[in-house]
Amino acid sequence: MKPESSMRYALWLVVLILLLSVPMTAAGHEAHHDAEVTQENKDAARGIQATTAQQPEVVDPGEWVQEKSGAYIPLDAVFKNERGETVTLQHLIDRPTLLLPVYYSCPKSCSFDLANLADAVRKTSHTPGSFRVISMSFNAEETHQLAARVRPNYTQLLSKDFPENGWAFLTGDNDNIRKVTQAIGYSFKRKDDATYIHPSAMAVLDQDGRIIKYVYGSFIPGDVDLALSEAAKGTPATSIRRFLAFCFSSDPRQNQQVFTILKLGTVALLAIGAVFFLFFLRKKKTKPPNT
């Protein structure tokens, strides 16, 4: 590459860095709003209730999920299913089971978690009926009537041969909810506006209610498939410690801070690349010609 061409590329790179370092304006906010609308349209098309969810914040899983692989969950915990029937976990867990704590009135990430889980279940290589799925509300104020209303939004995304009773939507009282969430090391916090701060994390159990591993974040089909295979073996396995998707604050100033951090990180990476590129050009230019 000629020195003139190299310098031209370097200048373009510097210009790009300067553009990225410009503070975020209303246009950036408008683009984020458009992304929200697109997601809402997609949810509506798939039969999922419209949601005002923001993109999930990323935090350390260890702050909200203390993994307890190898421990057993309390199978005597009592809940109501979406039909209003009183059931125990022992009644439900008789095969490998995916246990997802959520709350059904969540205006943020729970809708995405449930939809992603439904997609992963639909794509699994495991035979429908060889495992169970349990959604458990950690909001004691929610009723089985609400669970019954939201359930079809996600079960309709499953394959036609998935058993009708293969996915239970549970509600319960504070004592039984706490027994289960503490057993799996799952933390959540109620806010003043009656919403919850909570992680997106799922415990995978074997047929005896033993915790085999955890799945985090967007519930990638491959991760869920692998977790079910390990649950079928019944041997606790190491979880993939992905960054944990987390319910995002509705405070726009906090959202702005996250976008600013991401932008500055991108600028820093480009700046480092530009420095190395310019150093390489200078070194090449000062290198004596071969004799």
Side-chain angles (χ1 to χ4, degrees):
M1 181 182 293
K2 294 181 180 181
E4 295 81 0
S5 300
S6 299
M7 288 303 297
R8 187 159 53 247
Y9 284 122
L11 287 174
W12 276 112
L13 188 57
V14 171
V15 170
L16 179 60
I17 293 173
L18 291 175
L19 288 174
L20 285 172
S21 63
V22 174
M24 186 173 292
T25 62
H29 174 74
E30 187 175 316
H32 177 62
H33 175 72
D34 289 344
E36 267 186 11
V37 173
T38 300
Q39 183 61 57
E40 288 183 2
N41 290 340
K42 183 186 295 185
D43 287 351
R46 296 171 66 185
I48 302 173
Q49 292 178 326
T51 176
T52 57
Q54 306 282 347
Q55 290 298 319
E57 186 180 351
V58 175
V59 297
D60 183 355
E63 296 180 11
W64 290 86
V65 180
Q66 298 293 326
E67 292 195 4
K68 298 185 178 182
S69 298
Y72 289 87
I73 67 169
L75 294 177
D76 60 342
V78 180
F79 294 89
K80 285 190 175 181
N81 63 18
E82 67 279 359
R83 295 186 294 275
E85 300 167 341
T86 299
V87 295
T88 64
L89 293 184
Q90 186 170 19
H91 172 77
L92 294 174
I93 300 173
D94 58 355
R95 64 199 70 182
T97 300
L98 305 174
L99 174 61
L100 175 62
V102 290
Y103 70 109
Y104 305 126
S105 56
C106 176
K108 302 180 187 297
S109 64
C110 292
S111 295
F112 294 112
D113 291 343
L114 288 164
N116 287 335
L117 179 56
D119 183 61
V121 169
R122 180 174 57 84
K123 295 178 178 178
T124 185
S125 62
H126 295 269
T127 304
S130 65
F131 62 94
R132 290 191 185 275
V133 183
I134 296 176
S135 303
M136 185 196 75
S137 173
F138 49 74
N139 181 352
E141 296 178 1
E142 294 189 332
T143 65
H144 74 271
Q145 291 92 339
L146 175 59
R149 286 200 302 271
V150 302
R151 185 178 185 273
N153 295 335
Y154 308 104
T155 55
Q156 68 179 351
L157 302 177
L158 303 173
S159 60
K160 293 182 179 180
D161 55 348
F162 191 84
E164 176 65 24
N165 64 350
W167 190 338
F169 281 64
L170 303 183
T171 54
D173 58 34
N174 273 316
D175 289 342
N176 284 285
I177 290 170
R178 291 290 179 178
K179 282 173 63 175
V180 176
T181 55
Q182 289 175 6
I184 64 175
Y186 183 94
S187 299
F188 58 95
K189 181 179 180 181
R190 186 183 175 95
K191 298 168 63 178
D192 292 338
D193 61 359
T195 62
Y196 287 82
I197 302 172
H198 67 93
S200 296
M202 177 171 61
V204 184
L205 316 171
D206 68 8
Q207 64 180 8
D208 299 318
R210 190 181 190 188
I211 302 170
I212 298 300
K213 69 182 303 182
Y214 294 76
V215 180
Y216 296 103
S218 299
F219 307 138
I220 300 171
D223 288 351
V224 174
D225 213 40
L226 178 60
L228 284 172
S229 296
E230 291 167 339
K233 296 177 183 177
T235 304
T238 302
S239 302
I240 301 175
R241 302 282 294 189
R242 300 185 188 278
F243 279 113
L244 187 60
F246 197 70
C247 233
F248 206 20
S249 171
S250 58
D251 183 356
R253 289 174 298 179
Q254 184 173 348
N255 296 352
Q256 180 74 29
Q257 291 175 0
V258 175
F259 287 119
T260 300
I261 291 172
L262 292 174
K263 182 180 65 175
L264 291 177
T266 302
V267 171
L269 289 175
L270 287 173
I272 293 172
V275 168
F276 277 102
F277 186 61
L278 292 173
F279 176 77
F280 172 77
L281 289 179
R282 178 174 293 182
K283 185 176 180 181
K284 184 176 181 180
K285 187 176 181 180
T286 56
K287 184 178 180 179
N290 296 328
T291 55

